[in-house]
Amino acid sequence: MLFSTIHMPRRLWKLALVGTSLLTLALCRPALAQAPSPTPFVRFAELDIDNARLEEFRKAALENGEATLRLEPGVLAFHAVAEKGNPGRVQVFEMYVDAQAYQAHVQTPHFQKFRAQTDAMMLRRELHEAVPVRLGAKKSVPSRPHVRVAELTIDPAQLQAYKDAVSEEIDTSIRVEPGVLAIYSFALKEQPAQLRFVEIYADEAAYRQHIDSPHFKKYVEATKSMIASRTLLEAEPIFLGLPPASKAPAYYVSEFELTDPEGIKPYSAQVEATFKPFGGYYFVRGGQVNPLEGEPAKRIVMIAFPSREQAQAWYDSPQYREIRPIRFRSAKSRVYIVEGARAP
């Protein structure tokens, strides 16, 4: 979107490890498609990697990333890129369903292994909690995209006007330009006038078409007085990864009859926190049952998950096993996981 040549900033880590785990990314995974609701939790890291150990770092990051995408449904995007011509300078962008999913991520065995392997490889590292401005993406990323990264400082007095203008430009680009695959715009939480961009194009030609588009030129004209400084970078993808969308969804179904309404309350208060990191959400929660045939259940709860594997992983998780006995004591239940149909 706003790129030409760039010199990548230095602030490296905290994310590196808690964010770089993020580095996994396998190209060509289905992509996000506009920011989910509620607003996702975004982390951004800037890293300097020992050039002598760069391949070792990438190997560890790939292993960790693949495990993250396979096992963590709370992860929405993992992108890592290196400054073109300076492969040890790395930027990492991670997006989670919420802060809880991020905390679950940093406690996973694969991330802890990655951290132990790569800690000595980091020459500098800085982590930022980021505030989304606009997060837009298509549903897939090719294996060899063209990536740009930018760092902008915005006049604080014109910050909201700038956000409005860039949001319109991003929305239009994603909607009308087939070659614009993703534009993630976010501010550093500790410095709200410091904005960062990660942009992914099908190829360099798609990027050139983008900067020549009427909506991009309109954006440039509208914001030229708002931008105090900018650093633009052409980047080499290390990993670009989005969670697989090919699996069918799944549903945890519980048909139950309460035997101790007071006793179930601690379970009811805690259970949602156990399944959200696995991508689960309430699909049915005790609504009225209208019997049509046969004997109806007294009460039904359905929790939707991205896949059967993730539903099972939640059910077997230490967090859920800890509270499950409360349900056993307080209700008569029949529970099962059913795989949903794939969309045509």
Side-chain angles (χ1 to χ4, degrees), residues 57-254:
F57 173 83
R58 291 183 178 189
K59 182 179 178 181
L62 176 60
E63 180 183 341
N64 170 69
E66 288 178 342
T68 298
L69 290 177
R70 186 176 70 252
L71 300 174
E72 297 183 54
V75 179
L76 299 176
F78 270 3
H79 298 315
V81 298
E83 179 178 348
K84 193 167 186 179
N86 186 8
R89 180 71 54 78
V90 174
Q91 290 195 5
V92 179
F93 170 86
E94 331 176 34
M95 183 158 50
Y96 299 85
V97 171
D98 54 24
Q100 186 176 18
Y102 169 72
Q103 293 302 326
H105 164 71
V106 300
Q107 295 169 21
T108 58
H110 52 269
F111 175 72
Q112 293 297 324
K113 177 184 177 182
F114 167 78
R115 180 166 185 167
Q117 290 176 325
T118 61
D119 192 36
M121 304 175 194
M122 305 279 179
L123 304 179
R124 294 188 63 187
R125 56 197 177 195
E126 187 170 329
L127 164 72
H128 302 279
E129 184 174 345
V131 179
V133 173
R134 206 63 162 186
L135 307 172
K138 296 285 200 320
K139 294 195 180 285
S140 63
V141 175
S143 59
R144 299 183 65 82
H146 184 75
V147 180
R148 296 272 173 165
V149 179
E151 174 181 332
L152 276 66
T153 302
I154 308 302
D155 175 7
Q158 302 186 74
L159 183 57
Q160 188 55 55
Y162 177 82
K163 288 181 178 181
D164 292 342
V166 79
S167 295
E168 178 184 347
E169 198 278 332
I170 290 172
D171 289 349
T172 303
S173 298
I174 295 294
R175 186 177 70 252
V176 306
E177 293 187 65
V180 178
L181 305 179
I183 301 178
Y184 303 103
S185 173
F186 51 95
L188 305 186
K189 188 173 183 179
E190 69 273 21
Q191 297 175 286
Q194 291 288 320
L195 270 59
R196 301 290 186 270
F197 293 80
V198 176
E199 307 188 14
I200 305 172
Y201 301 89
D203 50 31
E204 186 173 1
Y207 164 67
R208 296 296 170 190
Q209 290 172 3
H210 168 69
I211 60 175
D212 200 38
S213 65
H215 49 274
F216 180 76
K217 291 180 177 179
K218 175 185 175 183
Y219 154 81
V220 170
E221 183 63 27
T223 62
K224 61 185 179 182
S225 68
M226 305 175 187
I227 300 172
S229 68
R230 74 183 88 204
T231 305
L232 307 177
L233 167 69
E234 183 175 349
E236 297 282 357
I238 296 176
F239 302 108
L240 301 176
L242 299 141
S246 58
K247 292 184 178 180
Y251 303 90
Y252 164 89
V253 182
S254 176

